[in-house]
Amino acid sequence: MTEKIVLNMITQRSIEEGVAMEKGKTTPEYFEACSVVEMNPEDMKALGIWRNTNVRVTSEVGSVIVKAIEPTQYCPPGLAHIRQGVWANQVVPPRTQSTGVPQYSGFPVTIEPVPSEKRKGALELVQGAVGLWRGGK
Amino acid sequence: MPKIVTDVGCPYCGASCDDLEILVSDDGKKILEVYNACAIGNEVFHHASSPDRLKRPRLRQPDGTYQEISYDEAVDYTAKVLLKAKKPLIYGFGSTNCEAMSAVGRVAEKSGAVLDNCASICHGPSFLAIFDNGYPSCTLGEVKNRADVVVFWGCNPMHAHPRHTSRYSIFPRGFFTEKGQRQRKMISIDPRETETAKLADIHLMVQQGHDYELFDAFRTVLRGHDIPDEVAGIRKEAILEAAGIMKNARFGMIFFGMGCTHTDGRNHNVDIAISLTRDLNTVAKYSIMAMRGHYNIAGPGQVWSWQFGFPYCIDLTKGTHAHMNPGETSSIDLAMRDEVDAFINIGTDAGAHFPIDAVKHLRKHPFITIDPNICMASEISDLHIPVAVVGVEEAGVVYRMDNVPIQFKKVVDPPEGVISDEQLFDRVYLRICELTETEPTWIPAKGHAKAPVTAGQ
Ligand code: SF4
């Protein structure tokens, strides 16, 4: 599969993320709540994937592997949503329009299927970014 | 016998519910049950009781592992990092009490730091719009008692503030709203059909990033002018219908959230929302409110405005005056320009919530996390100082999203030896005074206990 699709990304709160975050960001609950991208089934079809396939999401600043799921809250075609948190912030552009607030919502991303690749855990992503990841648990 | 503690405040979202009841064990140490809270609030209290809470600060060793140190050593380390840095940044404060926000003011001023809070990446643009255009707002009590039209624009309280609709805005019966939900019209404006949108009478699925145009269309039709057949992905008839409902309110309310401030337009979206509120006041009674995210994120705006004249992005490095200029003195911009040379993360998790590039820049320099729990920031820090959980193990004043101050209670003791944010900042302040051989200045409120006890220590 080599198909790619360009979608408009937003990253916002969800109750799943809120509950899991209070349990702890290193828990499996937080991983499952936040390492997903919600996209319309039409867009999945255009991409040639079934739901629950891992995809690579790439923005102007970086990329992250997340699982594509059907929206829990309806997302129109063309729009994608990664819940706020560690995975979202791998691709959120830090540009602020001189207000201090990054572009958390409304930035273009390219999505491509990577069914054989694994999602990284929160610690691996954040510690990895700053050279502190030692692997394992 | 386990005992029930009543009127407990919930230290999570900006709804700052203060009607929780907590069942505490015999010895007053463990939380057994949580009543009235939503799923998130429930988790906050149960998690505080977890046995794997940290009890001592941890300092990163040359081999990358953490080693426990004493609070005295942690205080000394923090004071020295702040003094050594030319432009340290102290950021966070979404999840602590006003007492800590006030205490950090002394530390920041003394050490010449930049002081910023989570509004910087949330409702900062709302502040900018409010400075320019005013804030015709009210309390959530007024919403409950009066509002018969409620608009949620770019916010999803069903997920971010789970009890907002049941406690304040949609379901409760109030003095003039005795029929509760049946008497209220609810409008949701959101690019997704969120749970909030599903609950609404009308959902306008605005094209993402085109909020400004839709606000403008509302203003145009309210002033009696024509609009194109479609604006921001919404048909003209739908806009006219919603505008008709808004106009016929006895008391209308506009709540707005990150959908406005996190995307293109930012402060301009909020600016025009305020102008729309003003327009609506020529035909009805209207009010507007920012859906603040955390239970006391309105707090620093209050406390620091009083201390320094500004609510956020406060640069105290000049030593002579406070300077605020978002875009220049905002945390993300400072980080991306590599302008700060030390970072303290307190009562938030910049490791998880900043764009990763900003985290990478900050991590080039000394990085300290002050937080009760293990979080992303704590796991990349040089020093992690655990503190008591405000609202669970430490009492204090918090400001709800409508800027109403509420006294939160302490329900159980913190793990043995663990201190509060406020105590920590006071100790860092005293240590900085010692190191610089200067006298501490406490300017306490009238009759405040702090001055006589600690002055000159
Ligand atoms: S709505 Fe917010 S403040 Fe109220 S219980 Fe839930 S998380 Fe806590």
Side-chain angles (χ1 to χ4, degrees):
Chain A
M1 278 181 283
T2 50
E3 288 217 61
K4 288 182 184 180
I5 190 171
V6 175
L7 298 178
N8 182 21
M9 177 63 72
I10 60 172
T11 74
Q12 289 299 331
R13 272 234 146 93
S14 79
I15 195 161
E16 295 86 353
E17 174 254 351
V19 173
M21 182 166 82
E22 287 308 319
K23 275 206 172 73
K25 295 207 181 79
T26 52
T27 59
E29 286 91 341
Y30 185 70
F31 178 79
E32 281 309 329
C34 296
S35 65
V36 290
V37 56
E38 301 184 54
M39 50 195 279
N40 191 281
E42 261 182 48
D43 289 332
M44 289 195 194
K45 216 163 139 194
L47 197 54
I49 59 166
W50 296 104
R51 56 167 185 250
N52 300 332
T53 306
N54 283 358
V55 293
R56 180 182 291 117
V57 177
T58 306
S59 73
E60 69 205 59
V61 292
S63 66
V64 67
I65 293 171
V66 286
K67 185 166 83 179
I69 62 168
E70 271 185 29
T72 51
Q73 302 177 86
Y74 176 79
C75 235
L79 193 69
H81 175 231
I82 302 184
R83 296 166 186 167
Q84 89 168 16
V86 170
W87 291 266
N89 283 313
Q90 306 302 309
V91 292
V92 167
R95 53 186 155 93
T96 74
Q97 294 183 343
S98 277
T99 63
V101 180
Q103 189 79 12
Y104 285 112
S105 285
F107 58 95
V109 294
T110 306
I111 300 189
E112 54 192 319
V114 286
S116 54
E117 293 199 35
K118 277 211 160 73
R119 290 176 283 175
K120 286 184 181 169
L123 265 184
E124 184 176 357
L125 284 172
V126 180
Q127 288 190 327
V130 298
L132 278 171
W133 175 245
R134 295 278 176 275
K137 192 85 230 266
Chain B
M1 266 277 285
K3 67 167 195 295
I4 286 262
V5 189
T6 57
D7 302 324
V8 174
C10 169
Y12 184 74
C13 84
S16 314
C17 302
D18 57 348
D19 62 343
L20 272 49
E21 300 193 347
I22 313 279
L23 187 67
V24 178
S25 68
D26 269 349
D27 55 4
K29 289 212 165 93
K30 208 170 151 33
I31 290 165
L32 303 174
E33 287 292 344
V34 181
Y35 303 105
N36 297 346
C38 70
I40 309 178
N42 199 46
E43 194 55 48
V44 172
F45 281 91
H46 284 299
H47 187 75
S49 265
S50 107
D52 43 340
R53 283 278 300 279
L54 296 166
K55 300 186 180 64
R56 291 292 170 269
R58 301 176 299 157
L59 184 68
R60 192 158 312 269
Q61 304 299 307
D63 68 356
T65 60
Y66 261 146
Q67 192 169 337
E68 279 196 4
I69 59 170
S70 70
Y71 274 101
D72 276 342
E73 289 168 302
V75 164
D76 180 64
Y77 183 98
T78 308
K80 285 177 178 158
V81 161
L82 283 169
L83 284 176
K84 186 155 174 256
K86 281 212 189 85
K87 199 167 193 172
L89 168 63
I90 310 177
Y91 166 86
F93 304 95
S95 302
T96 187
N97 54 17
C98 289
E99 288 80 349
M101 292 161 190
S102 163
V104 81
R106 280 183 210 96
V107 174
E109 196 170 353
K110 188 89 186 168
S111 60
V114 179
L115 201 49
D116 198 8
N117 64 70
C118 307
S120 196
I121 60 164
C122 290
H123 272 292
S126 309
F127 275 125
L128 297 177
I130 290 165
F131 297 155
D132 285 347
N133 208 2
Y135 193 42
S137 196
C138 64
T139 65
L140 290 168
E142 282 174 280
V143 176
K144 171 182 167 177
N145 285 307
R146 295 175 189 276
D148 60 347
V149 173
V150 179
V151 181
F152 290 105
W153 196 309
C155 55
N156 183 11
M158 296 307 282
H159 275 245
H161 306 84
R163 292 181 71 212
H164 191 280
T165 53
S166 60
R167 213 166 123 74
Y168 310 112
S169 52
I170 299 298
F171 296 103
R173 295 159 198 269
F175 195 81
F176 299 109
T177 49
E178 60 288 324
K179 294 203 194 90
Q181 187 197 13
R182 278 190 291 143
Q183 205 175 335
R184 290 190 176 95
K185 282 278 180 210
M186 175 175 170
I187 299 174
S188 159
I189 297 172
D190 203 294
R192 289 184 297 151
E193 195 188 2
T194 60
E195 304 290 349
T196 305
K198 277 182 207 150
L199 186 67
D201 298 292
I202 289 185
H203 171 214
L204 301 183
M205 195 144 50
V206 61
Q207 202 181 338
Q208 197 283 326
H210 292 256
D211 300 82
Y212 191 94
E213 289 150 64
L214 189 55
F215 276 119
D216 204 29
F218 274 113
R219 293 191 71 195
T220 307
V221 299
L222 284 167
R223 285 161 179 252
H225 301 289
D226 198 18
I227 52 169
D229 290 342
E230 193 180 300
V231 178
I234 310 290
R235 281 178 306 106
K236 177 178 171 178
E237 302 79 64
I239 296 172
L240 292 177
E241 187 197 356
I245 292 173
M246 283 157 83
K247 229 168 46 182
N248 285 323
R250 273 201 309 184
F251 185 104
M253 190 66 209
I254 299 174
F255 289 105
F256 64 95
M258 300 295 98
C260 295
T261 63
H262 270 177
T263 192
D264 290 345
R266 296 202 186 36
N267 50 311
H268 303 291
N269 296 333
V270 180
D271 199 287
I272 196 166
I274 295 167
S275 294
L276 172 63
T277 310
R278 194 172 50 222
D279 288 357
L280 282 161
N281 267 303
T282 60
V283 291
K285 172 82 193 124
Y286 259 82
S287 196
I288 185 165
M289 192 183 298
M291 295 286 269
R292 306 303 302 272
H294 279 274
Y295 69 96
N296 192 24
I297 193 52
Q302 297 286 336
V303 174
W304 297 346
S305 293
W306 180 71
Q307 284 180 321
F308 301 112
F310 303 111
Y312 75 126
C313 298
I314 306 166
D315 183 347
L316 298 163
T317 60
K318 295 184 176 22
T320 48
H321 63 285
H323 163 69
M324 171 203 160
N325 186 23
E328 179 202 347
T329 61
S330 34
S331 296
I332 297 293
D333 297 283
L334 286 168
M336 291 310 293
R337 284 197 312 267
D338 233 338
E339 263 181 45
V340 287
D341 54 354
F343 181 60
I344 297 186
N345 171 93
I346 141 92
T348 188
D349 187 358
H353 297 295
F354 276 5
I356 196 71
D357 282 344
V359 179
K360 284 192 212 165
H361 280 296
L362 292 170
R363 190 61 189 83
K364 293 178 195 159
H365 310 284
F367 193 120
I368 299 172
T369 295
I370 301 168
D371 197 280
N373 297 308
I374 288 184
C375 58
M376 288 302 123
S378 77
E379 296 317 283
I380 57 170
S381 288
D382 294 302
L383 172 65
H384 175 207
I385 312 178
V387 281
V389 183
V390 170
V392 182
E393 301 157 350
E394 172 74 9
V397 175
V398 314
Y399 281 83
R400 199 167 65 185
M401 66 162 66
D402 52 356
N403 290 315
V404 170
I406 301 175
Q407 175 73 45
F408 270 25
K409 284 186 178 175
K410 170 180 167 168
V411 183
V412 290
D413 286 332
E416 201 170 336
V418 172
I419 65 176
S420 69
D421 293 311
E422 183 190 13
Q423 286 169 325
L424 177 67
F425 286 126
D426 280 350
R427 282 168 69 171
V428 171
Y429 176 64
L430 283 171
R431 184 69 189 132
I432 291 177
C433 291
E434 269 171 29
L435 289 166
T436 53
E437 294 177 8
T438 48
E439 277 299 311
T441 352
W442 305 98
I443 309 174
K446 218 195 288 174
H448 195 290
K450 216 172 246 183
V453 181
T454 41
Q457 253 180 12

